Amino acid sequence: MKINFFFILSVFFLFGCTKEVQKADSDWQIISKNVQFKKSAEAFQLTSGKFKYKIQAADLPFKKVLLLNASLVGYFTEIGLEENIIGISSPEYIFSEKIHALLETGKIQNIGNEQKYDVEKIIALKPDVIFTNYISSFDNTYDIIKNNGIEIIFIDEYLEQNPLEKSKYLLVFGELFNKEKEAQQRFQEITENYASLKKLAASSKSKPVVLANEMYGNQWFLPGGETNLAQFLSDANSSYINAENSESKAVPMNFEEVFTKAQTAEYWINVGNHQTKKEMLQINPNYEKMNVFNHGKLFTVAGREVGRANDYFESGVVRADLVLKDYIKIFHTDLLPTYKLTFMKELK
């Protein structure tokens, strides 16, 4: 479950969301092109990617849940569902203090990691449901769990390239855990905050040029122009160097290609987990050739990081408004004079 943010930073702004959740003519509530749900007095139906679920109303709300991905934890903490979690994988990657307190008291069990899940413990815990990202290589493990009568729901939020559609997954969890009002309220607040911040950013006359990510080995994975990150940068009123690209994933490039595109970059964001610029040069001395390295400002996503846990990949998945606010603070400091960065941190 190790999380590499260069592949996770994943984007179209869900503009104009109304206070009421939009419904399709068939009463399916649309979360994104990947996820939608429909409920009746008899059952709750959910489509998540290629998977379809029909959960009897008598089996809801869920009370005991296992989580196999840290990126899903943020949805539970956002609407107060921590005590519904009875098991979690790779707790060293969890940022939430409340989750760790429940782990210490034994109310939440460590059920292993992506190298080796403790299937016997998972079955013995008898959860109502397991939530996880779908990984095809784990199909045998999933089958064993399902054959023991345990529901597995695959939620691949990392595939969403619209920041607010990731936040909107809150509504799914609200329905499944009898937290509909809380989820709706939180999503509405996040959406309204995001729209207000986007409008604020647009008021700035400056539009700084921005570079993102860094090299791994011989390749620089530069987010495409239709990615989550590209949307954040657009909504923060900046000029992303790869904005014209039509990819919704990271595009591998060599150093020379990025060097050329980034000639006028003033900011370099989402740099890796480095502590100093000097440390970066030890990994790749070529960075010193870049104008932005020498004269610009560099930022990591390590503003809320403890050990291996990074809250950017936890609550940051849900709080699109705070992520946008950080980028606006970085690019247009004068617009948010008293705000201190939440997820980002300047690298010196």
Side-chain angles (χ1 to χ4, degrees), residues 216-269:
Y216 273 85
N218 296 322
Q219 292 186 311
W220 194 310
F221 292 93
L222 198 64
E226 299 297 329
T227 57
N228 181 283
L229 179 62
Q231 188 62 54
F232 273 127
L233 297 182
S234 174
D235 292 342
N237 193 19
S238 68
S239 180
Y240 174 45
I241 67 166
N242 208 29
E244 77 288 349
N245 180 276
S246 61
E247 293 286 346
S248 58
K249 60 184 178 181
V251 181
M253 296 185 181
N254 59 41
F255 177 80
E256 289 72 21
E257 290 175 306
V258 177
F259 178 82
T260 300
K261 291 175 74 73
Q263 290 285 358
T264 60
E266 304 161 70
Y267 293 89
W268 184 352
I269 53 96

Side-chain angles (χ1 to χ4, degrees), residues 74-343:
Y75 296 104
F76 284 76
T77 58
E78 192 67 29
I79 53 177
L81 290 171
E82 294 96 335
E83 295 194 5
N84 290 83
I85 303 170
I86 61 170
I88 202 159
S89 70
S90 300
E92 67 272 21
Y93 291 101
I94 304 300
F95 184 84
S96 167
E97 292 182 358
K98 186 168 183 178
I99 296 291
H100 282 287
L102 292 169
L103 279 159
E104 288 178 7
T105 62
K107 291 182 178 179
I108 296 179
Q109 295 292 309
N110 180 350
I111 52 176
N113 54 49
E114 79 280 8
Q115 274 77 44
K116 186 175 176 56
Y117 292 121
D118 191 334
V119 177
E120 290 185 0
K121 180 181 276 190
I122 289 172
I123 294 170
L125 285 170
K126 297 181 180 179
D128 297 328
V129 65
I130 294 174
F131 291 102
T132 182
N133 298 155
Y134 175 70
I135 302 174
S136 59
S137 60
F138 291 159
D139 276 341
N140 288 339
T141 300
Y142 299 148
D143 287 341
I144 293 171
I145 293 171
K146 290 177 183 177
N147 289 338
N148 278 272
I150 298 172
E151 180 83 69
I152 301 179
I153 296 180
F154 298 109
I155 298 287
D156 292 335
E157 85 300 327
Y158 68 93
L159 294 177
E160 302 297 347
Q161 298 305 323
N162 180 321
L164 284 176
E165 285 182 353
K166 280 192 178 186
S167 302
K168 199 173 182 181
Y169 277 49
L170 280 170
L171 304 187
V172 176
F173 293 105
E175 292 288 342
L176 294 172
F177 290 89
N178 195 26
K179 288 273 191 175
E180 297 95 330
K181 290 183 179 179
E182 292 88 339
Q184 179 65 57
Q185 180 180 357
R186 294 302 299 128
F187 177 63
Q188 180 179 323
E189 290 172 356
I190 291 168
T191 301
E192 291 176 350
N193 288 344
Y194 196 104
S196 177
L197 287 162
K198 181 181 177 181
K199 183 177 181 180
L200 177 66
S203 71
S204 176
K205 294 181 180 179
S206 66
K207 195 169 185 176
V209 180
V210 181
L211 167 67
N213 292 8
E214 64 166 320
M215 295 198 75
Y216 273 85
N218 296 322
Q219 292 186 311
W220 194 310
F221 292 93
L222 198 64
E226 299 297 329
T227 57
N228 181 283
L229 179 62
Q231 188 62 54
F232 273 127
L233 297 182
S234 174
D235 292 342
N237 193 19
S238 68
S239 180
Y240 174 45
I241 67 166
N242 208 29
E244 77 288 349
N245 180 276
S246 61
E247 293 286 346
S248 58
K249 60 184 178 181
V251 181
M253 296 185 181
N254 59 41
F255 177 80
E256 289 72 21
E257 290 175 306
V258 177
F259 178 82
T260 300
K261 291 175 74 73
Q263 290 285 358
T264 60
E266 304 161 70
Y267 293 89
W268 184 352
I269 53 96
N270 294 22
V271 181
N273 295 329
H274 305 294
Q275 298 302 312
T276 64
K277 291 171 66 176
K278 182 178 180 181
E279 181 184 309
M280 288 181 66
L281 294 179
Q282 294 173 353
I283 296 173
N284 195 322
N286 283 328
Y287 291 150
E288 196 166 27
K289 300 176 183 178
M290 305 181 72
N291 182 64
V292 67
F293 180 87
N294 295 302
H295 304 292
K297 290 190 174 183
L298 283 66
F299 291 84
T300 72
V301 291
R304 286 173 64 83
E305 190 174 61
V306 177
R308 296 183 181 181
N310 187 328
D311 198 32
Y312 179 82
F313 304 116
E314 195 167 309
S315 64
V317 173
V318 184
R319 294 301 305 273
D321 56 335
L322 290 181
V323 175
L324 178 62
K325 195 170 187 178
D326 271 11
Y327 285 128
I328 294 172
K329 174 67 175 182
I330 290 170
F331 306 140
H332 311 288
T333 304
D334 57 312
L335 296 180
L336 296 167
T338 62
Y339 174 68
K340 294 184 179 180
L341 295 173
T342 300
F343 302 112

Side-chain angles (χ1 to χ4, degrees), residues 34-53:
N34 299 314
V35 174
Q36 56 184 312
F37 66 82
K38 179 180 181 179
K39 62 178 180 177
S40 67
E42 294 76 32
F44 177 87
Q45 297 180 64
L46 172 68
T47 297
S48 180
K50 66 179 182 179
F51 300 98
K52 297 183 183 299
Y53 305 91

